[in-house]
């Protein structure tokens, strides 16, 4: 048993040294064709865990986050995009090169359990190739970008479109997330998807089903927002999630596109002789006094008038304390002065701990003079608590 494990260990070491020692991956793709590369978590998991742990039988399934950028640049090339929905999902690099060239992509995998990092190099070489003359773009509403990029799902969509186009010579040109085209973020509920745009191309001209998209009747139905029926005999959707939205179908005929204008001819760089320089004459003089009046004087006059009006309201319309007291009922004034006197008395008591008890706690007292009087031998409710014969305001008290 020990010899069998030793042989497994040495075979694993040899396989890793043969296939995994060089982390540089080279890919060649034609211009105008879809490129997809799946970042497998299992591949980077082998880089994180030593062979001793693998030999000991301890395998991990760690969450990983991928970071991709062009070498010596902070971002990816303009034609290349990256997506990864969750740390437990694989990542995808996808896009369609638009010009031949070479791109070196650095792929960093960060282990969220041990916070280790691994680095791979992806060399993408785009070669020149003739563009497919007839292309069509379809919108698939019930799909998301990471669910469409696997090759098996692409083959399913391609088979349905081949039946729709009535040709086997069909290639996927590009796949785009609807969010990158201005789509709205769906609700986080079941049955809501982001949607993807799938562009395919072929050497063969469009089928009759596709040409119905260009008819005036179809465009009128889409413009009114009514539910567009699938043209008869054109429903080749085997899987409901791969069904296309007919109103968002677009046909592109590259054979009818206008040629680009010729590049301008380069001259010698020396301006032709056009005579002596004639500077423009000075502009006529202008009187700025009316503008000064409108801009400065008029707002200043308005500000002065407002200040005078505010001063009259604040100072000229005040009635004064004497006039206010003359208009106030004497009983109300007496009650007001009593409240103020009691408040002052409580403040004085709070300042001195040994102060005498307040006069308001005595059985009978005069709030003005402070004179004390013996309690009356009567329980009649008509006798006031305050001795009215010593109060200057006694004439104003109510009597029964």
């Amino acid at each position: 048993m020990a010899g069998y494990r030793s042989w497994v260990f040495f075979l694993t070491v040899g396989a890793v040294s043969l296939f995994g020692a060089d982390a540089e991956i080279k890919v060649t793709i034609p211009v105008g064709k879809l490129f997809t590369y799946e970042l497998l978590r299992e591949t980077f998991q082998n880089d994180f865990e030593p062979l001793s742990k693998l030999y000991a039988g301890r395998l991990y399934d760690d969450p990983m986050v991928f970071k991709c950028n062009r070498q010596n640049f902070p971002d990816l090339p303009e034609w290349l995009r990256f997506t990864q929905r969750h740390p437990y999902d694989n990542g995808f690099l996808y896009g369609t090169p638009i010009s031949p060239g070479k791109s070196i992509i650095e792929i960093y995998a960060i282990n969220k359990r041990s916070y280790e990092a691994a680095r791979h190099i992806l060399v993408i070489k785009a070669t020149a190739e003739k563009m497919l003359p007839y292309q069509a773009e379809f919108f698939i509403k019930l799909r998301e970008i990471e669910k469409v990029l696997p090759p098996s799902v692409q083959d399913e969509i391609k088979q349905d479109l081949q039946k729709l186009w009535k040709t086997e010579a069909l290639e996927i040109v590009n796949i785009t997330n609807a969010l990158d085209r201005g789509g709205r973020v769906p609700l986080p509920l079941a049955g809501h998807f982001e949607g993807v745009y799938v562009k395919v191309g072929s050497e063969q001209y469009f089928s009759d089903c596709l040409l119905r998209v260009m008819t005036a009747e179809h465009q009128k139905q889409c413009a009114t927002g009514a539910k567009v029926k699938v043209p008869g005999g054109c429903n080749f959707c085997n899987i409901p999630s791969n069904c296309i939205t007919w109103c968002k179908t677009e046909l592109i005929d590259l054979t009818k596109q206008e040629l680009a204008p010729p590049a301008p001819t380069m001259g010698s760089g020396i301006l032709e002789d056009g005579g002596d320089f004639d500077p423009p004459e000075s502009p006529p003089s202008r009187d700025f006094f009316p503008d000064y009046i409108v801009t400065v004087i008029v707002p200043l006059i308005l500000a002065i008038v407002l200040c005078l009006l505010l001063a009259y309201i604040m100072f000229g319309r005040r009635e004064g304390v004497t006039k206010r007291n003359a208009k106030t009922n004497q009983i109300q004034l007496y009650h007001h002065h009593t409240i103020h006197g009691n408040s002052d008395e409580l403040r004085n008591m709070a300042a001195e701990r040994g102060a005498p008890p307040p006069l308001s706690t005595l059985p009978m007292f005069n709030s003005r003079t402070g004179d004390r009087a013996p309690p009356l031998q009567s329980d009649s409710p008509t006798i006031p608590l305050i001795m009215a014969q010593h109060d200057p305001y006694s004439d104003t008290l109510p009597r029964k």
Side-chain angles (χ1 to χ4, degrees):
M1 188 66 180
Y4 175 76
R5 290 185 178 180
S6 301
W7 277 107
V8 172
F9 175 76
F10 286 119
L11 289 176
T12 306
V13 171
V16 171
S17 61
L18 181 61
F19 298 103
D22 188 9
E24 182 173 300
I25 306 166
K26 297 182 180 180
V27 180
T28 302
I29 56 173
V31 173
K33 301 292 181 62
L34 177 65
F35 163 75
T36 57
Y37 180 77
E38 186 174 4
L39 306 181
L40 299 175
R41 296 171 48 251
E42 293 80 2
T43 303
F44 292 90
Q45 186 70 52
N46 296 332
D47 296 340
F48 292 135
E49 298 301 328
L51 295 178
S52 59
K53 292 186 178 181
L54 181 63
Y55 175 71
R58 296 182 355 186
L59 298 177
Y60 292 95
D61 186 17
D62 300 332
M64 300 180 192
V65 176
F66 297 100
K67 304 293 183 180
C68 304
N69 64 280
R70 187 178 177 183
Q71 193 175 39
N72 300 326
F73 289 89
D75 207 348
L76 291 171
E78 59 181 357
W79 63 269
L80 190 62
R81 294 178 293 275
F82 171 76
T83 181
Q84 183 188 15
R85 183 72 62 174
H86 192 270
Y88 283 98
D89 298 335
N90 295 333
F92 286 93
L93 283 168
Y94 66 100
T96 303
I98 56 179
S99 61
K102 182 179 180 181
S103 300
I104 302 177
I105 308 300
E106 294 180 337
I107 303 173
Y108 293 92
I110 302 174
N111 191 324
K112 301 298 290 183
R113 179 184 63 86
S114 60
Y115 293 97
E116 295 179 287
R119 175 176 176 267
H120 286 190
I121 298 296
L122 177 64
V123 180
I124 305 174
K125 183 180 180 181
T127 58
E129 187 173 317
K130 182 181 177 182
M131 300 288 291
L132 297 174
Y134 305 106
Q135 298 181 5
E137 188 176 57
F138 305 94
F139 178 69
I140 303 178
K141 183 179 180 180
L142 303 180
R143 282 290 189 178
E144 294 180 346
I145 186 65
E146 67 274 1
K147 303 298 182 181
V148 177
L149 293 176
S152 59
V153 182
Q154 293 186 34
D155 293 338
E156 295 175 357
I157 298 175
K158 185 178 177 180
Q159 291 174 5
D160 293 341
L161 297 179
Q162 285 174 349
K163 297 177 183 178
L164 181 63
W165 205 306
K166 295 182 180 181
T167 179
E168 298 291 335
L170 197 67
E171 297 291 340
I172 296 181
V173 176
N174 193 11
I175 296 179
T176 309
N177 191 352
L179 300 182
D180 298 335
R181 301 279 292 271
R184 300 183 63 179
V185 178
L187 296 175
L189 301 175
H192 293 75
F193 302 91
E194 297 173 356
V196 294
Y197 287 90
V198 179
K199 181 184 288 187
V200 296
S202 176
E203 295 284 349
Q204 183 177 336
Y205 192 65
F206 305 113
S207 63
D208 295 336
C209 291
L210 293 177
L211 291 177
R212 292 183 185 181
V213 178
M214 306 297 295
T215 60
E217 181 182 359
H218 177 81
Q219 295 179 359
K220 183 179 180 180
Q221 291 179 356
C222 294
T224 57
K227 186 176 181 180
V228 179
K229 296 182 179 179
V230 179
C234 298
N235 188 9
F236 299 100
C237 180
N238 295 327
I239 302 177
S241 59
N242 293 339
C243 295
I244 65 175
T245 302
W246 284 94
C247 283
K248 292 187 178 182
T249 301
E250 182 181 358
L251 304 182
I252 304 171
D253 189 355
L254 299 181
T255 60
K256 296 182 180 180
Q257 289 187 352
E258 298 180 358
L259 299 177
T265 57
M266 302 299 294
S268 61
I270 302 175
L271 295 177
E272 299 179 358
D273 186 12
D276 297 334
F277 175 70
D278 186 12
E281 298 180 357
S282 299
S285 60
R286 180 182 173 185
D287 186 12
F288 291 97
F289 184 72
D291 298 339
Y292 173 76
I293 293 178
V294 175
T295 308
V296 179
I297 301 300
V298 173
L300 183 61
I301 294 175
L302 293 177
I304 293 175
V305 171
L306 292 177
C307 290
L308 293 177
L309 181 62
L310 183 62
Y312 172 73
I313 294 174
M314 295 295 296
F315 300 100
R317 302 286 295 177
R318 296 175 68 94
E319 58 183 1
V321 178
T322 305
K323 188 176 180 180
R324 183 191 62 190
N325 292 343
K327 293 182 179 181
T328 305
N329 191 355
Q330 295 297 324
I331 298 178
Q332 184 176 357
L333 282 177
Y334 176 76
H335 181 66
H336 177 73
H337 289 303
T338 303
I339 293 175
H340 276 278
N342 294 338
S343 300
D344 295 338
E345 186 178 8
L346 290 176
R347 290 193 187 96
N348 296 332
M349 290 179 60
E352 300 179 5
R353 185 177 296 273
L359 298 177
S360 58
T361 59
L362 299 177
M364 297 294 292
F365 72 100
N366 189 296
S367 61
R368 295 294 178 182
T369 62
D371 297 338
R372 301 182 182 182
L376 299 177
Q377 301 298 326
S378 175
D379 296 334
S380 176
T382 60
I383 300 176
L385 293 177
I386 302 174
M387 298 299 295
Q389 63 272 19
H390 299 291
D391 197 335
Y393 294 94
S394 60
D395 298 336
T396 61
L397 293 175
R399 299 181 180 180
K400 296 183 180 180

